[in-house]
Amino acid sequence: MQVAGFVSAVKAAMFRAARDSALSREQITDRMNDIALAAGVRMTQGRARTISQDTLDKWLSADDREHVPSMLAVHVFCVAVHTIAPLRVWLASFGSDVMTPADRKLCDYGRACIEGKMRAKSKRRLEDELMEQEVLR
């Protein structure tokens, strides 16, 4: 899926996020337009400053290969719908995933545990060396 099914997978994730959202597609379109206008960016290559609901519908159709949302449009969609699902699909194509703040804490905790064990092992090794030196005296 690294390249071949990438666009369809991202669009499918966007579709599921829109379907699961409490917002209607019209509300999602309005939010996306508001976000883009506030940021001073365009989500499409044309002269239009906003997108239509028809455009959003095409972006959410995994079977429509002609209408592909830009990276910026996917980002704005994620902000508007409060989801990282399409980004997770994007990163999965590289064998990666999103790390949440809770995941980060768990990672830091695990790293601290491993470092503690490494320090304890080093301490035991030094103790053993000191004990051998004392025995040889």
Side-chain angles (χ1 to χ4, degrees):
M1 201 257 331
Q2 193 168 10
V3 176
F6 170 74
V7 171
S8 294
V10 170
K11 291 175 79 169
M14 291 174 69
F15 171 82
R16 288 188 300 275
R19 179 194 64 204
D20 297 343
S21 172
L23 302 172
S24 69
R25 287 198 180 183
E26 182 179 350
Q27 290 170 315
I28 294 170
T29 303
D30 290 344
R31 263 198 191 172
M32 289 179 70
N33 286 327
D34 290 346
I35 292 165
L37 287 171
V41 297
R42 290 185 179 153
M43 291 179 279
T44 61
Q45 292 181 351
R47 292 190 298 162
R49 286 232 166 273
T50 60
I51 62 164
S52 65
Q53 187 176 335
D54 183 52
T55 298
L56 178 63
D57 289 340
K58 290 174 184 174
W59 287 348
L60 298 182
S61 174
D63 296 331
D64 184 340
R65 294 180 182 257
E66 291 183 30
H67 299 92
V68 178
S70 67
M71 182 173 22
L72 179 62
V74 174
H75 179 83
V76 172
F77 174 85
C78 290
V79 173
V81 182
H82 301 290
T83 185
I84 57 171
L87 300 177
R88 288 191 111 129
V89 169
W90 197 314
L91 290 172
S93 71
F94 295 101
S96 297
D97 198 357
V98 175
M99 183 179 278
T100 65
D103 293 335
R104 174 47 107 185
K105 282 183 183 177
L106 283 171
C107 180
D108 290 345
Y109 174 78
R111 184 173 284 117
C113 288
I114 290 170
E115 288 171 354
K117 288 183 178 199
M118 290 171 62
R119 280 193 296 277
K121 185 176 180 179
S122 177
K123 180 180 167 186
R124 281 191 304 275
R125 191 184 79 252
L126 289 170
E127 286 173 351
D128 289 345
E129 289 175 10
L130 285 172
M131 295 302 279
E132 282 180 23
Q133 289 175 359
E134 288 298 318
V135 171
L136 294 177
R137 283 187 188 195

